[in-house]
């Protein structure tokens, strides 16, 4: 078996056999393996040219065995109802389940029978071959980016790579939907989410203060701007995301900090930078938030003394359809 896999990896171009798969899809999205509109899919052999962040690739018009080599992309694929058979995973931890899948969609993955392709960020191409993909999807950037092995992946099966650091989850879902022939499924997922946003916005009572969306660090504090996924989510609900005075930005932000979604603030500037704003923590446990609230520079902040410290959840650090939906539920519970 190992020798045959190595032979495949050495070949200049190999396409995996297309094998059918069907499974349940999430509410508001097509079922896994089901083509958009509920049709059985295109005849075998039909392809479409897909432009992505590593080039242009002819992919099956209706892929049946999708392998994700980047765990960051897997949640977006599952939201589309894509027939994901296996995914790269990270180490188990606070944000992930025992398989190394992110908790916001790990239950969906289990329900669909998604297998762990391999754990860690070093691609295991023999396991990719063994999964018999007819389409490989990965990230073009980030710790789980697959750009460095793109040429080897595309020798196994058609491969598309997308950046996720410069797109909203909705934009990425739209691009993936177009790549997989699930345009209507992508539109349905986004429309369902937008309806949920409108429902929550109408149901909550928003505070009069601005919102600072942040993570605590031992040194500089990353504050999410309205250009971030987290800030944009709160803004869509009618919250005012507090702008950070550029003069209070940390040195780490002024030296090459070209990102628009995050501004770093030094610990000594939290009082001036945050003012009377409410605080919304991203990706922390309740214990971590309690420890931050007790720090000397934090404990007298108006948000802390006034009970306006909020937990967006551990999964809010990595926003996709599933985690964004979870954040909406938390906001509704706290502000209804």
């Amino acid at each position: 078996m190992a020798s045959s896999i190595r032979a495949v990896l050495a070949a200049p171009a190999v396409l995996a056999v297309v094998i059918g798969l069907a499974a349940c899809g999430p509410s508001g999205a097509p079922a896994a393996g089901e083509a958009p509109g509920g049709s059985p899919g295109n005849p075998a052999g039909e392809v479409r040219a897909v432009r992505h962040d590593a080039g242009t690739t002819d992919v099956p018009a209706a892929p049946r065995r999708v392998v994700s080599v980047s765990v960051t992309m897997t949640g977006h694929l599952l939201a589309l109802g894509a027939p994901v058979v296996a995914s790269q995973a990270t180490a188990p931890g606070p944000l992930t389940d025992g398989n190394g899948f992110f908790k916001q969609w790990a239950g969906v993955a289990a329900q669909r029978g998604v297998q762990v392709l391999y754990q860690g960020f070093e691609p295991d191409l023999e396991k990719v071959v063994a999964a018999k993909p007819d389409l490989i999807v990965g990230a073009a950037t980030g710790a789980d980016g697959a750009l460095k092995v793109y040429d080897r992946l595309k020798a196994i099966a058609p491969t598309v790579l997308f950046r996720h650091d410069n797109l909203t989850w909705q934009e990425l879902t739209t691009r993936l939907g177009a790549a997989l022939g699930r345009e209507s499924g992508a539109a349905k997922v986004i429309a369902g989410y937008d309806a949920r946003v409108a429902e929550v916005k109408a149901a909550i009572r928003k505070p009069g203060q601005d919102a600072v969306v942040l993570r605590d660090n031992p040194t500089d504090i990353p504050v999410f701007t309205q250009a971030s996924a987290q800030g944009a989510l709160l803004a869509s609900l009618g919250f005012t995301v507090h702008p950070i005075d550029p003069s209070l930005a940390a040195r780490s932000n002024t030296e090459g900090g070209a990102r628009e979604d995050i501004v770093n603030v030094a610990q000594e500037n939290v009082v001036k930078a945050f003012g009377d704003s409410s605080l919304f923590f991203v990706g922390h446990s309740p214990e971590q938030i309690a420890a931050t609230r007790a720090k000397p520079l934090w404990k007298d902040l108006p948000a802390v003394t006034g009970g306006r410290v909020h937990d967006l959840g551990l999964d809010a650090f990595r926003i996709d359809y599933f985690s964004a939906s979870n954040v909406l539920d938390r906001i509704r519970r706290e502000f209804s």
Side-chain angles (χ1 to χ4, degrees):
M1 177 63 180
S3 61
S4 64
I5 289 176
R6 292 189 190 98
V8 171
L9 291 174
V14 179
L15 297 181
V17 177
V18 179
I19 301 177
L21 179 73
C24 297
S27 176
E34 176 184 289
S39 64
N42 294 290
E46 288 192 17
V47 298
R48 64 159 57 81
V50 173
R51 293 182 61 185
H52 55 99
D53 292 314
T56 301
T57 300
D58 288 338
V59 307
R64 301 291 184 88
R65 291 186 63 83
V66 176
V67 165
S68 172
V69 293
S70 303
V71 69
T72 301
M73 308 297 287
T74 308
H76 303 286
L77 293 168
L78 292 173
L80 283 170
V84 180
V85 296
S87 170
Q88 178 255 341
T90 186
L95 304 180
T96 57
D97 71 352
N99 287 325
F101 290 160
F102 290 112
K103 288 180 179 178
Q104 63 260 34
W105 49 260
V108 175
Q111 183 183 35
R112 305 265 186 89
V114 178
Q115 300 297 306
V116 174
L117 188 63
Y118 51 83
Q119 282 189 342
F121 298 114
E122 189 62 36
D124 189 329
L125 299 186
E126 292 194 1
K127 290 183 178 177
V128 176
V129 172
K132 300 179 181 178
D134 62 355
L135 178 64
I136 299 170
V137 178
T141 53
D144 58 353
L147 197 57
K148 64 182 179 181
V149 291
Y150 172 66
D151 288 339
R152 297 171 70 187
L153 289 170
K154 71 180 184 180
I156 299 169
T159 301
V160 292
L161 305 182
F162 294 99
R163 290 185 63 177
H164 54 78
D165 57 330
N166 63 343
L167 300 173
T168 66
W169 73 260
Q170 294 95 327
E171 291 168 337
L172 182 55
T173 297
T174 299
R175 290 196 71 184
L176 288 170
L180 275 68
R182 291 177 169 266
E183 294 90 339
S184 62
K188 183 177 180 181
V189 168
I190 294 168
Y193 174 80
D194 288 344
R196 177 69 174 146
V197 168
E199 176 189 332
V200 173
K201 185 176 182 179
I204 63 176
R205 297 180 61 185
K206 293 168 284 295
Q209 299 82 7
D210 287 358
V212 168
V213 188
L214 75 155
R215 285 179 56 80
D216 186 22
N217 275 337
T219 54
D220 297 338
I221 303 158
V223 177
F224 297 85
T225 71
Q226 189 164 324
S228 69
Q230 295 82 358
L233 192 159
L234 285 184
S236 72
L237 294 171
F239 291 85
T240 300
V241 178
H242 184 67
I244 298 298
D245 185 335
S247 69
L248 299 175
R251 187 171 180 82
S252 60
N253 198 75
T254 57
E255 292 184 351
R259 294 181 63 168
E260 296 182 355
D261 59 334
I262 289 178
V263 175
N264 289 318
V265 174
Q267 291 277 351
E268 61 266 23
N269 287 333
V270 296
V271 175
K272 291 181 180 179
F274 299 166
D276 188 41
S277 300
S278 299
L279 303 182
F280 292 78
F281 280 87
V282 170
H284 286 300
S285 68
E287 294 77 17
Q288 290 171 323
I289 295 173
T292 297
R293 292 174 57 170
K295 289 181 179 179
L297 285 174
W298 295 71
K299 62 185 179 63
D300 294 324
L301 286 172
V304 175
T305 59
R308 292 184 282 108
V309 176
H310 308 284
D311 180 6
L312 292 182
L314 285 167
D315 57 1
F317 182 67
R318 191 176 297 269
I319 295 292
D320 53 30
Y321 165 75
F322 297 103
S323 58
S325 299
N326 290 343
V327 172
L328 290 182
D329 291 341
R330 295 180 189 116
I331 292 291
R332 180 160 191 168
R333 285 196 299 269
E334 286 211 41
F335 291 93
S336 292

